[in-house]
Amino acid sequence: MALTYEYKMKVRDYECDAQGVVNNANYLHYFEATRHELMEKCGLRLRDLTEANIIPVVRNANINYRSSLRGSEEFISSVQIERKGLRYYFMQKIVRVPDNTLCADAVIEVVCLIDGKVAAPEMFDDAFDEYIIWK
């Protein structure tokens, strides 16, 4: 069974709109920060990848907004990875602490460009080995 990676964060007041809830675009930032933290935990630094001309690219993002986060609230952002062909699907959730309310979930589809061409880097498969669900 594949592992789920979890990253705890807190809403900053400047991420909220005039109604006092997190602006919808910030959820993309939360999801991205979680993926980058997972990459670093697995030994992959984005800076090193780009220097080697290996570029992970978001191909599609599908987000379902469920319940609004507000300023200063803490939340857990989690991710699981599914691999289908050359595509990586990051299944992500944001759950408010302490009431365990699902605030958003998403499927973020990522492909890797190596020297400008879509390819499956073995280094991602090796790094994410404990987290990948193979399809």
Side-chain angles (χ1 to χ4, degrees), residues 107-118:
V107 177
I108 311 293
E109 179 183 347
V110 174
V111 295
C112 291
L113 302 179
I114 300 177
D115 296 323
K117 296 179 181 166
V118 176

Side-chain angles (χ1 to χ4, degrees), residues 12-99:
R12 295 161 291 217
D13 290 331
Y14 64 83
E15 296 168 333
C16 298
D17 60 20
Q19 290 77 38
V21 298
V22 171
N23 179 280
N24 65 314
N26 285 306
Y27 290 87
L28 282 169
H29 293 284
Y30 300 152
F31 289 134
E32 182 174 36
T34 304
R35 291 191 310 275
H36 285 229
E37 289 294 325
L38 173 59
M39 285 175 61
E40 285 196 17
K41 180 184 186 306
C42 293
L44 298 172
R45 287 187 2 181
L46 191 58
R47 185 172 82 194
D48 296 338
L49 293 171
T50 56
E51 287 175 2
N53 209 18
I54 300 169
I55 315 294
V57 177
V58 172
R59 185 176 179 277
N60 188 36
N62 184 7
I63 301 173
N64 296 303
Y65 300 99
R66 309 286 184 173
S67 182
S68 297
L69 284 169
R70 296 184 169 277
S72 299
E73 289 185 328
E74 291 184 334
F75 60 94
I76 302 289
S77 179
S78 64
V79 60
Q80 285 188 314
I81 306 168
E82 208 173 89
R83 168 86 187 276
K84 293 180 187 173
L86 297 177
R87 297 177 181 156
Y88 296 88
Y89 294 89
F90 292 83
M91 282 83 64
Q92 300 192 246
K93 292 181 182 178
I94 290 176
V95 175
R96 182 174 37 244
V97 174
D99 65 359

